[in-house]
Each structure stands twice: as C-alpha cells, then as structure tokens.
C-alpha cells in the first residue's frame, strides 16, 4: 500500500495561543533568515538561538496534542494547514500540481519580482509546457548531462582559481571567497564564458531577490527587473556553445513557454547549491571517516572526465537533509480536498516544514552525518526525505546540480585538506546542530599529504 492509499487523519484546528506560537517560533525565524535569499544577520541569530530545534520541538509537541493530521490555521481570511505527518507530506507532494499546486499566493508574490513566467509560479497548461521545457534543457532524469565534459572543465578551472588565490593569500577560504568563485562558475555554466565576470547581472538578481524576501509587502521593482532581463537576454541571445544558454536555444518551446523567463530560476537555484556544497565541505572537515571515503573514491577516478562520484553525491544529499536549503515546501489546493472525516477548502495553503521530517527523532541517524543512507536504500525507503522536493514537482535540475556540486567538492578535496576555525560545533561525537550559518564558516586550506 502506498502512502497516497492510506487513510489520512482528520485535521484539527489550532488554538489562538498555538497559532501565535507557530508564528513566533516557526514562521518568523524562517522569514528573518530569508526565504528567497539568506540574510547574514538572520542566519547568525538563527544558529545562535537554535531556531530549527525550537521549531521542530514545537511541531512535535503540537502533533502530540492535536494528532497527526494537518493542523488548520486560519489567519485574516486565509486557510493554512501545517503538515505534521510524513505520509501526508508525501501525499501532497505526489498530488502536484492537481490538487496541490506549487504556485501558492506567497510564492507568486515573491518570485514575480524576478521570474514572473517561472515554472514554480505557473498553473495549468502554462505550467505543463514550462515544466517540460525545463526538464528538456536540464535533462531531468539523466545523471550525466550531455554538456558534462564542458561543465566539469569549467568547475575544475574555477575551483583551481579559488585555491590559487587562497594559497597566494592568507590560506583561508571564507563564504565570500567561495561565493565569488561559485557565482563565476554558475554564470559560465548557464551563460557561457563571456558571462563569467558579469557581476552586475548577479548583483541585479540579488537586489530583486532581496526585495522578494518581503513577498507582497514590497513594491514591484519593475525598472530594475527590466534592466536585469535585457542584460540576461543579451547573454542568452549569444547562445555560447557548451552553455545552458545554447541548450535553451536548441530546445523547441511551445507558445507561452518564455524560454528566457526560466533562466532566472536556474541562477537562483545555483545559490542554494553553493550553500549545500560549502556546508558539505564543513562536514568533511570534521568527519575524518567520510572524508577518507571520498578520497578513496577520488583516488580511482579520472577527475578530468565526467564521473558520477556516488559517495560524494551522497555526502551532498546528506548535507541538504541535515540543513535543507528550502526549509518550507509549499502547496496550495486548487479544489476542496478530503482529509479523513473532514475536508479542507480550495485555496488552503499546505506548509511542509522539511526539518521536522529530515530530523525526526525516530530516525536513528537524525542528527548524524550519514551519507550511507543515500546509497543503501534507507533514504529512498524513508517517507518525506525531500532534499530536492519530491513527486511531480521535484526540482528538474536535481541531476545537473548534483553533477556540478560533486565535481566542485571533488576538485577542492583532490589535493587539499580543510581545517575549520570552529570545529567543535560539527564534531562527529555529538549531535549536529539543527541550524548551520554558512556565512560564519571559515577554513584553512592546506596541501593534502596522504
């Protein structure tokens, strides 16, 4: 019997007091840290006050008090349902896009700032055609993209330049240095080599994303978006061979797809991929056994050629399990849906807080770095582990992102060892923190001596 066949539990309605607690301990800290683009101060406070541990603790408490069904929260005429059970989360994600659409009101208010025609905020036939187009260009379902040889060369070149600059300087890598190298990599992969140094394009997108953090509370920056789109289209019109821009130009598009309108999300998504890569490097800097396993994998691999690197990929997936780059997965029902002995009205927004399921205390590996679960079938057999979302709305760039991030990690580890400036918080003999501020991570990069 699949999770979608199981009888679902009847929703309960949260009290006014518990609604306020949800807002204060779950929603507010997530918004403060930044949903569309992370805020440095917000992330520092989130780690300091262990906000994800507090949030998961509250949701676990409410599940015990109200039962496992979705917890109804009605605010200002809006209907929300906080998902508390893994089976319900799976049911909702498998029911994308009908009856559970990814295009929620909050998501549209945010993402329209910089990608008004993006697939995530599209519905109906427009979503179908845009989803199919994204899958075709990003080669969803294929672990090795057809542009992999060029991608591997690009990633290795930028990793080498990062390490070269580090060696020439003080021998340290912080988030800003890594982010600069990562952004150059992303621009080259998406736009081609001529886009490598277009920091202005990334800065424009960053400002639009910062505005999007405020969702509908911020005015539309249409003039800035128009400038960003013109600059982006200049790169896309060039369709440099070997880039995703060239793949986009060569892929047939149905009317209404707006191929160029899909690209802002690709650049946006690479930001989260960079955070995951950097956090994985932090984990490996303190977890000697897993670092050794990766080095064993690299030792028998020609890293100048595209390779799957399964253990390295597993480490990246585990990093996203431990610290989801998208703490909330949102769905909005397009019609009334049945739940146990009750029904939830059309327009209900379902809130899936991923740390609740990724760090469920019933999981024996809840707070440990355990890449093996992604190789032995454990993760696949565990409901509601969703590092790239799940179901028909799963990220169409998952395979491409894992190729790029694992290649970057391999290039960084090939000849160097990393010593963190604060190793205590990621020690393997104690539970890993539920929140990890990537802005505060810093490493000394040393030549690796076997």
């Amino acid at each position: 019997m699949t999770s979608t066949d199981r009888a679902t539990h009847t929703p309960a309605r949260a009290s006014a007091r518990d609604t306020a607690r949800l807002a204060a301990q779950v929603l507010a800290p997530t918004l403060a840290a930044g949903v569309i683009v992370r805020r440095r101060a917000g992330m520092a406070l989130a780690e300091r006050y262990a906000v994800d541990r507090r949030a998961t603790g509250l949701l676990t408490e409410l599940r015990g008090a109200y039962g496992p069904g979705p917890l109804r929260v009605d605010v200002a005429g809006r209907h929300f349902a906080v998902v508390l059970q893994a089976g319900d989360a799976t049911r909702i994600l498998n029911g994308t896009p009908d009856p559970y659409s990814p295009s929620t009101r909050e998501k549209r208010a945010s993402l329209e700032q910089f990608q008004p025609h993006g697939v995530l905020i599209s519905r109906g036939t427009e979503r179908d055609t845009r989803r199919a187009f994204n899958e075709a260009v990003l080669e969803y379902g294929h672990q090795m993209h057809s542009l992999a040889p060029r991608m591997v060369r690009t990633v290795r070149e930028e990793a080498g330049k990062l390490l070269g600059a580090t060696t020439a300087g003080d021998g340290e890598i912080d988030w800003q240095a890594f982010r600069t190298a990562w952004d150059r990599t992303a621009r080259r992969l998406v736009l081609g080599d001529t886009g490598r140094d277009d920091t202005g394009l990334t800065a424009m997108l960053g400002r639009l994303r910062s505005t999007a953090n405020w969702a509908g509370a911020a005015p539309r920056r249409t003039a800035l978006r128009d400038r960003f789109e013109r600059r982006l289209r200049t790169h896309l019109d060039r369709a440099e061979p070997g880039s995703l821009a060239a793949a986009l130009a060569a892929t047939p598009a149905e009317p209404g797809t707006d191929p160029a309108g899909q690209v802002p999300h690709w650049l946006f998504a690479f930001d989260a991929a960079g955070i995951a890569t950097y956090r994985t490097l932090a984990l490996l800097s303190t977890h000697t056994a897993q670092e050794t396993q990766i080095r064993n994998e690299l030792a028998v691999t020609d890293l100048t050629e595209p390779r799957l690197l399964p253990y390295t990929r597993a480490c990246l997936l585990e990093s996203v399990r431990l610290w989801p780059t998208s703490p909330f997965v949102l769905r909005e029902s397009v019609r009334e849906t049945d739940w146990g002995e009750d029904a939830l009205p059309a327009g209900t927004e379902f809130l899936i807080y991923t740390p609740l399921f990724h760090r469920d205390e019933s999981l024996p590996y809840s707070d440990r770095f355990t890449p093996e679960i992604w190789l032995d079938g454990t993760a696949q057999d565990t409901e509601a582990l969703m590092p790239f979302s799940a179901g028909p709305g799963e990220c169409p760039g998952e395979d491409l992102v894992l190729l790029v991030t694992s290649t970057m990690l391999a290039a960084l580890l090939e000849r160097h060892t990393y010593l963190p400036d604060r190793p205590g918080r990621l020690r393997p003999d104690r539970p890993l923190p539920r929140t990890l501020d990537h802005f505060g991570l810093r490493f000394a990069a040393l030549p690796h001596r076997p």
Side-chain angles (χ1 to χ4, degrees), residues 5-318:
D5 294 327
R6 296 173 188 161
T8 51
H9 298 86
T10 301
R13 191 180 299 274
S15 68
R17 175 177 178 273
D18 287 333
T19 297
R21 294 171 72 201
L22 282 167
Q25 296 184 44
V26 183
L27 294 178
T30 301
L31 295 175
V35 176
I36 305 301
V37 61
R38 298 290 180 266
R39 299 184 177 102
R40 182 180 289 271
M43 285 300 302
L45 289 172
E47 181 179 300
R48 179 178 180 181
Y49 292 105
V51 297
D52 288 303
R53 183 172 291 281
R54 293 170 182 265
T56 55
L58 173 61
L59 292 172
T60 301
E61 174 193 333
L62 295 178
R63 183 167 57 196
Y66 288 96
L71 185 59
R72 299 186 62 170
V73 180
D74 294 338
V75 180
R78 296 287 312 285
H79 303 292
F80 298 90
V82 181
V83 180
L84 299 176
Q85 194 225 17
D88 290 344
T90 302
R91 173 195 176 185
I92 292 166
L93 295 176
N94 286 343
T96 301
D98 185 355
Y100 305 107
S101 172
S103 179
T104 69
R105 184 184 300 188
E106 279 69 28
K107 202 180 295 183
R108 290 194 300 274
S110 293
L111 298 185
E112 282 176 352
Q113 286 280 4
F114 61 93
Q115 49 167 317
H117 298 158
V119 65
L120 278 182
I121 54 175
S122 302
R123 289 192 175 187
T125 57
E126 281 189 340
R127 181 198 180 272
D128 295 340
T129 57
R130 290 168 181 170
R131 173 75 192 194
F133 183 81
N134 276 271
E135 290 185 3
V137 177
L138 302 177
E139 300 185 13
Y140 175 65
H142 299 273
Q143 289 187 314
M144 196 64 66
H145 197 280
S146 59
L147 297 176
R150 173 71 174 266
M151 291 178 174
V152 168
R153 289 196 299 273
T154 296
V155 172
R156 289 181 58 80
E157 285 174 10
E158 293 301 333
K161 290 173 183 176
L162 169 63
L163 291 170
T166 299
T167 303
D170 58 9
E172 287 194 341
I173 295 178
D174 61 9
W175 169 249
Q176 186 56 51
F178 179 85
R179 169 71 183 273
T180 299
W182 184 259
D183 285 346
R184 288 172 177 162
T185 304
R187 288 193 296 268
R188 289 181 68 185
L189 294 174
V190 176
L191 308 174
D193 292 346
T194 53
R196 177 186 188 268
D197 297 318
D198 192 352
T199 56
L201 181 76
T202 301
M204 286 183 185
L205 180 58
R207 291 197 294 274
L208 289 168
R209 290 174 58 201
S210 293
T211 303
N213 265 346
W214 298 99
R220 291 285 180 265
R221 304 185 67 177
T222 53
L224 175 59
R225 192 181 76 199
D226 289 345
R227 293 198 303 273
F228 166 74
E229 289 178 346
R230 286 196 299 270
R231 192 159 180 163
L232 176 62
R233 287 176 188 274
T234 299
H235 288 290
L236 297 178
D237 289 344
R238 193 181 298 113
E240 186 176 308
S243 68
L244 288 175
L248 177 141
T251 302
E254 296 290 333
T257 300
D258 185 13
Q262 310 311 306
V263 178
H265 189 76
W266 302 350
L267 295 169
F268 163 43
F270 265 113
D271 187 40
I275 294 172
T277 306
Y278 198 60
R279 285 171 170 166
T280 308
L281 188 65
L283 284 166
L284 294 169
S285 72
T286 58
H287 288 70
T288 305
Q290 288 81 1
E291 181 198 24
T292 299
Q293 187 71 9
I294 283 190
R295 293 193 184 282
N296 291 340
E297 183 172 71
L298 303 184
V300 296
T301 304
D302 180 0
L303 297 177
T304 63
E305 297 294 330
R307 294 291 184 267
L308 287 181
L309 304 175
Y311 193 81
T312 307
R313 289 183 176 223
C315 288
L316 285 153
L317 287 166
E318 181 67 347

